[in-house]
Every structure is written in structure tokens, then in C-alpha cells.
Amino acid sequence: MTTDLQDDVLWTVSDVARYLGVPVGTLYQWRHRGEGPRSRRVGRHLRYDPTEVRRWFKNLDATGAA
């Protein structure tokens, strides 16, 4: 069984900031406030599931807030 690792790659804070068009610091602020897309710690690093980031972004229209 083979898997495409590209599908399994988690995004860094910089990747998410670039995707959303916001500064990296904004993501850290959102995380501190419990807002923004869900992130997880991998060791001392934050990582984001691209599917969850896209879902969160699409749901902004429904909720009207970050």
C-alpha cells in the first residue's frame, strides 16, 4: 500500500499565515484567545491540518467571526 505524503503534510504557522493572508503574530494571538483554526503542538512546534484550516475558513461566512 502506498500513500502520497503530500496529503499527510501538516502546515506550519507560516504556511497558514500565507494561506489566510494574515501575519504570523495574528495566528499566535488567535491561539492564545482560543480563536482561529485549530492547531496542535508537535514537540515545541505548532502544526495545522490543512483540511481543518480550509474548513475553518469556509465556516467564517456562516459564523461571521474569526
Side-chain angles (χ1 to χ4, degrees), residues 25-36 66:
T26 298
L27 291 172
Y28 286 113
Q29 289 174 6
W30 287 347
R31 179 175 165 82
H32 179 73
R33 291 187 230 156
E35 301 171 358

Side-chain angles (χ1 to χ4, degrees), residues 38-65:
R38 183 173 157 194
S39 62
R40 294 176 189 81
R41 285 239 174 246
V42 178
R44 61 183 201 164
H45 305 282
L46 280 181
R47 294 294 181 259
Y48 294 82
D49 181 332
T51 303
E52 289 185 20
V53 173
R54 290 182 184 108
R55 183 178 304 126
W56 173 84
F57 182 71
K58 287 179 183 177
N59 286 335
L60 282 180
D61 289 338
T63 62

